[in-house]
């Protein structure tokens, strides 16, 4: 207790000390801070008899450690919340909630190749009022954005990148909380709108997502904020508003995780009347300076790319060159990049499409290229020196100088061997070297590599093997200046799902197996296989060469009506859906038992489920039932026993027994009389005894 008091005293002292400056929030690796949330509750036109305040507060997570200095409870969704409860509280009631936080940047260096989604993950896939993942337009957009992506992370990063680029951040929409369909149509909003649209798109593609609310440090200081987490073998953060994916900076403080965007603190009070007035910081606007006090912080070291080069350092008027960046990152992330040329009264150089984002994965080489063009309208006698700077939240600032002067210009001729190739096929890029000095450097820049050769003869060729379907662009260049883009298309695919098999019937609550045969008739290739049964999902990633058979197990829950298999590569996606037949306990229902004579009866049956080998015994005489819905049976005089036996597909035995009376009518009447007369004699005797006793009582009464 003494230790906690000392810590609390230190925290209070921190609240009144000066805050640390956070100048590069996206690069913040570690943050230690104290969060102080204050508010006032009063009743206008009445009195408070009791008061209860439940407030969202920072949550303990894998990267976020917290110390609570107020009473807390567990909410129904599992979050820890601050809980204040008072009887006959003073008015106005002022409160302060203090939390110490030690937060680290999320860093993702690996993603599982195989994982399962248990049935309770269904809540993270549901379409809701605000997150309409079942909206056909949202699903269509999501598929279009990710059609050429090769991994789960890349698909999600592309969704976040598209969202960041196309949805305008509009501060006038704070508090409006529009739904995903509205955001897609109007393409504006704040963090809430960015997040619900991203979540709807991700869920429409089958990725479980959850809504994260909390705080972040932005250009206006500490702000309330929302972002998302997606499960692809582990929960990974995606912030489409700030364009962070995988690597989520340490200013992202998590207050709540939920399936929807409906997250809020609540106050309730028992009063004598009137209206509750609850005053607290307006989340969404700039928070007051004393709400967050930073104690210590540290930044990640700037990532140093393997190279940042310009293909020609001197350009003639109107001539082009390529500036490229080569990277081999250590973690999964989306990197924002901006190439900025010199500026002033005269702009000697312009950059085509200066702002780009790169989706990065560990140990994978990535190349980002820009085309720059020298101004055509410059002073002929002037040599211009133009510094070009590359800016990014995660990179050390890089720069290069390009000189522009009146020089003979080089027009680069380049073309592809084929305008369209098949998956796995090599492409050849040719560069015309006519007019280029022999021995000068000639090269190409692709998404994954930079290749260079010395000019020789009339043309130089480069062999490349693209890794994705769709449109590809290659930048061709020479060291003497000049650049040209070459485009080609990759289409097709050589993978197939040969078969998907499961049990003829699945037993409710029991485990059932699914066997899948897949085949690749081309060269070995990385594939992703997703198998879904209801809300359960299993994902496997492997190299497929030739034919392969895989087996999976699922639980036969109520929502399992089919098994859906999706096999995808960087080039192609195939979907196969197999309906499953649920086990229905077999039953033979006797709908009607009708005597057609004293010696015959007509039985009508109804079959439920799949009774196997049904057989009937009439007075121990065997009668086959298979295929019969109506059957006439012979009866013996008297009581006839009918017994029906059957089994199910799993060998379980069932039986049913009933009786039909076939006694002739005259004998039945005689039988009834024979049964009734002893009872009648007994009743008459009892009545006689009763009368004698009654006579005795009357005589005795008169004599007295």
């Amino acid at each position: 207790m003494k230790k906690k008091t000392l810590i609390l005293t230190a925290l209070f002292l921190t609240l009144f000390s000066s805050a640390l400056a956070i100048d590069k929030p996206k690069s913040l690796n570690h943050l230690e801070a104290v969060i102080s949330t204050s508010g006032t509750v009063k009743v206008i036109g009445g009195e408070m008899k009791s008061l209860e305040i439940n407030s969202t507060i920072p949550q303990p997570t894998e990267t976020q450690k917290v110390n609570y200095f107020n009473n807390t409870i567990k909410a129904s969704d599992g979050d820890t919340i601050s809980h204040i409860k008072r009887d006959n509280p003073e008015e106005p009631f002022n409160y302060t909630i203090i939390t110490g936080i030690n937060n680290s940047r999320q860093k993702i260096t690996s993603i599982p190749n195989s994982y399962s989604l248990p049935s309770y993950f269904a809540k993270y896939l549901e379409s809701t009022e605000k997150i309409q993942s079942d909206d056909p337009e949202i699903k269509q957009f999501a598929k279009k954005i990710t059609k050429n992506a090769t991994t789960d992370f890349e698909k999600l990063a592309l969704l976040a990148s598209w969202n960041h680029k196309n949805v305008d951040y509009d501060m006038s929409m704070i508090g409006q909380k529009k739904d995903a369909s509205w955001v897609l149509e109007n393409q504006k909003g704040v963090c809430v709108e960015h997040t619900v649209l991203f979540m709807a798109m991700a869920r429409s593609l089958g990725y479980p997502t959850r809504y994260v609310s909390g705080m972040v440090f932005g250009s206006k200081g500490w702000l309330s904020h929302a972002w998302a987490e997606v499960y692809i073998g582990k929960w990974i953060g995606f912030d489409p508003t700030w364009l962070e994916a995988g690597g989520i900076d340490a200013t992202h403080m998590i207050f709540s995780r939920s399936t929807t965007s409906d997250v809020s603190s609540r106050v309730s009070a028992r009063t004598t009347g009137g209206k509750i007035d609850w005053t607290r910081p307006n989340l969404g606007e700039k928070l007051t300076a004393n709400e967050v006090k930073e104690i210590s912080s540290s930044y990640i070291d700037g990532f140093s790319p393997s190279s940042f080069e310009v293909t020609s350092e001197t350009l003639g008027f109107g001539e082009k060159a390529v500036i490229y960046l080569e990277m081999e990152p250590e973690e999964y992330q989306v990197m924002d990049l901006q190439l900025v040329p010199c500026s002033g009264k005269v702009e000697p150089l312009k950059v085509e499409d200066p702002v780009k984002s790169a989706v990065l994965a560990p140990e994978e080489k990535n190349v980002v290229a820009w085309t720059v063009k020298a101004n055509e309208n410059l002073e002929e006698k002037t040599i211009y020196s133009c510094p070009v700077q590359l800016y990014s939240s995660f990179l050390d600032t890089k720069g290069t100088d390009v000189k522009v002067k009146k020089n003979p210009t080089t027009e680069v001729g380049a073309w592809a061997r084929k305008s369209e190739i098949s998956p796995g096929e090599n492409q050849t890029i040719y560069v015309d070297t006519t007019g280029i000095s022999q021995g000068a450097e000639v090269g190409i820049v692709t998404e994954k590599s930079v290749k260079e050769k010395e000019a020789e003869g009339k043309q130089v060729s480069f062999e490349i093997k693209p890794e994705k379907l769709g449109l590809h662009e290659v930048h061709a260049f020479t060291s003497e200046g000049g650049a040209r883009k070459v485009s080609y298309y990759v289409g097709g695919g050589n993978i197939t799902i040969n078969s998907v098999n499961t049990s003829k019937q699945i037993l409710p609550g029991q485990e059932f197996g699914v066997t899948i045969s897949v085949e690749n008739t081309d060269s070995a290739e990385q594939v992703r296989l997703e198998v879904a049964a209801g809300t359960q999902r299993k994902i496997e990633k492997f190299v497929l060469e030739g034919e392969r058979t895989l087996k999976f197990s699922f639980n036969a829950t109520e929502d399992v009506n089919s098994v859906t298999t999706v096999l995808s590569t960087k080039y192609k996606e195939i979907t196969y859906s197999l309906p499953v037949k649920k086990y229905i306990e077999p039953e033979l229902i006797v709908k009607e038992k009708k005597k057609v004579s004293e010696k015959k009866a007509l039985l009508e049956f109804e079959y439920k489920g799949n009774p196997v080998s049904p057989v009937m015994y009439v007075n121990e005489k065997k009668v086959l039932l298979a295929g019969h819905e109506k059957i006439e049976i012979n009866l013996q005089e008297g009581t006839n026993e009918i017994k029906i036996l059957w089994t199910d597909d799993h060998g379980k035995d069932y039986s049913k027994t009933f009786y039909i009376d076939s006694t002739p009518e005259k004998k039945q009447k005689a039988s009834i009389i024979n049964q009734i007369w002893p009872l009648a004699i007994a009743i008459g005797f009892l009545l006689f005894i009763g009368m004698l006793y009654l006579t005795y009582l009357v005589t005795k009464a008169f004599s007295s």
Side-chain angles (χ1 to χ4, degrees), residues 289-304:
N290 69 339
E291 282 225 309
V292 179
K293 289 289 185 178
E294 302 85 8
I295 300 172
S296 66
S297 61
S298 63
Y299 295 85
I300 57 173
D301 294 330
F303 172 65
S304 185

Side-chain angles (χ1 to χ4, degrees), residues 489-550:
Y489 191 82
V490 179
N494 296 291
I495 59 168
T496 56
I497 300 175
N498 291 334
S499 64
V500 179
N501 295 303
T502 186
S503 307
K504 291 182 179 179
Q505 292 183 328
I506 61 174
L507 294 166
Q510 301 294 313
E511 194 175 84
F512 70 97
V514 178
T515 303
I516 300 170
S517 172
V518 295
E519 187 174 8
N520 180 8
T521 57
D522 209 328
S523 56
E525 191 173 354
Q526 181 78 21
V527 299
R528 179 184 188 273
L529 182 67
E530 178 177 338
V531 188
T535 56
Q536 302 166 75
R537 280 175 167 76
K538 305 265 177 105
I539 293 93
E540 291 277 354
K541 299 174 187 176
F542 53 92
V543 175
L544 179 60
E545 183 176 16
E547 190 173 2
R548 181 169 175 177
T549 300
L550 300 98

Side-chain angles (χ1 to χ4, degrees), residues 41-51 86-93 268-277:
V41 182
K42 61 183 178 181
V43 174
I44 301 172
E47 294 182 0
M48 277 193 290
K49 296 297 183 183
S50 65
L51 172 67
R86 298 286 189 277
D87 291 325
N88 300 313
E90 65 273 15
E91 289 195 54
F93 181 81
S268 60
R270 184 167 58 87
T271 70
T272 59
K275 179 183 178 182
I276 298 175
D277 179 54

Side-chain angles (χ1 to χ4, degrees), residues 167-213:
V167 179
D168 294 332
Y169 193 85
D170 186 349
M171 291 286 285
S172 68
M173 291 188 61
I174 289 175
Q176 294 192 30
K177 297 184 178 180
K178 297 294 186 180
D179 61 64
S181 298
W182 186 95
V183 181
L184 181 61
E185 181 179 354
N186 295 275
Q187 296 191 9
K188 63 179 181 178
V190 289
C191 59
V192 173
E193 284 73 28
H194 277 275
T195 301
V196 296
L197 178 56
F198 171 80
M199 290 179 66
M201 286 182 166
R203 287 184 181 182
S204 76
L205 298 179
Y207 294 108
T209 66
R210 60 190 182 193
Y211 185 91
V212 184
S213 62

Side-chain angles (χ1 to χ4, degrees), residues 16-287:
F16 296 100
S17 63
S18 59
L20 296 173
I22 298 178
D23 55 350
K24 298 183 296 181
K26 278 193 174 183
S27 300
L28 199 69
N29 190 49
H30 174 263
L31 175 67
E32 189 176 359
V34 178
I35 301 175
S36 171
T37 304
S38 300
T40 300
V41 182
K42 61 183 178 181
V43 174
I44 301 172
E47 294 182 0
M48 277 193 290
K49 296 297 183 183
S50 65
L51 172 67
E52 187 171 348
I53 301 171
N54 291 322
S55 180
T56 57
I57 52 177
Q59 301 298 303
T61 71
E62 300 82 0
T63 57
Q64 183 170 281
K65 311 303 178 186
V66 295
N67 279 318
Y68 299 127
F69 295 93
N70 299 81
N71 186 50
T72 62
I73 60 172
K74 284 286 186 182
S76 58
D77 60 3
D79 279 350
T80 300
I81 59 174
S82 176
H83 181 67
I84 299 173
K85 188 173 184 179
R86 298 286 189 277
D87 291 325
N88 300 313
E90 65 273 15
E91 289 195 54
F93 181 81
N94 299 307
Y95 67 91
T96 299
I97 301 168
I98 297 175
T99 306
I101 188 167
N102 193 321
N103 202 19
S104 299
R105 178 178 178 270
Q106 185 186 57
K107 182 178 180 179
I108 305 297
T109 58
S110 65
I111 295 175
N113 281 330
S114 304
Y115 59 92
S116 300
L117 299 181
S119 57
Y120 70 86
F121 267 50
K123 62 184 179 181
Y124 298 116
L125 288 163
E126 290 177 353
S127 183
T128 68
E129 183 181 354
K130 296 286 187 180
I131 305 168
Q132 302 106 320
S133 54
D134 59 356
D135 184 324
E137 191 172 358
I138 287 176
K139 190 164 188 174
Q140 180 183 356
F141 251 86
K143 285 187 172 182
K144 182 179 179 181
I145 293 165
T146 61
K147 66 179 180 179
N148 295 327
T150 60
T151 66
D152 294 331
F153 180 80
E154 186 182 7
K155 287 183 180 181
L156 294 162
L158 289 175
L159 292 180
S161 183
W162 182 93
N163 190 311
H164 176 79
K165 184 177 180 180
N166 292 280
V167 179
D168 294 332
Y169 193 85
D170 186 349
M171 291 286 285
S172 68
M173 291 188 61
I174 289 175
Q176 294 192 30
K177 297 184 178 180
K178 297 294 186 180
D179 61 64
S181 298
W182 186 95
V183 181
L184 181 61
E185 181 179 354
N186 295 275
Q187 296 191 9
K188 63 179 181 178
V190 289
C191 59
V192 173
E193 284 73 28
H194 277 275
T195 301
V196 296
L197 178 56
F198 171 80
M199 290 179 66
M201 286 182 166
R203 287 184 181 182
S204 76
L205 298 179
Y207 294 108
T209 66
R210 60 190 182 193
Y211 185 91
V212 184
S213 62
M215 296 176 67
V216 74
F217 192 88
S219 59
K220 295 188 176 183
W222 286 102
L223 302 166
S224 66
H225 192 52
W227 63 100
E229 290 178 337
V230 185
Y231 191 84
I232 48 175
K234 61 172 67 173
W235 286 105
I236 297 176
F238 289 84
D239 186 342
T241 311
W242 296 96
L243 191 56
E244 294 186 34
I248 300 294
D249 70 68
T251 75
H252 283 68
M253 298 182 184
I254 298 175
F255 277 55
S256 177
R257 287 164 162 163
S258 63
T259 57
T260 70
S261 57
D262 300 323
V263 179
S264 63
S265 299
R266 291 179 173 83
V267 63
S268 60
R270 184 167 58 87
T271 70
T272 59
K275 179 183 178 182
I276 298 175
D277 179 54
W278 187 16
T279 306
R280 57 191 177 128
N282 188 1
L283 300 180
E285 297 179 357
K286 182 178 179 182
L287 298 182

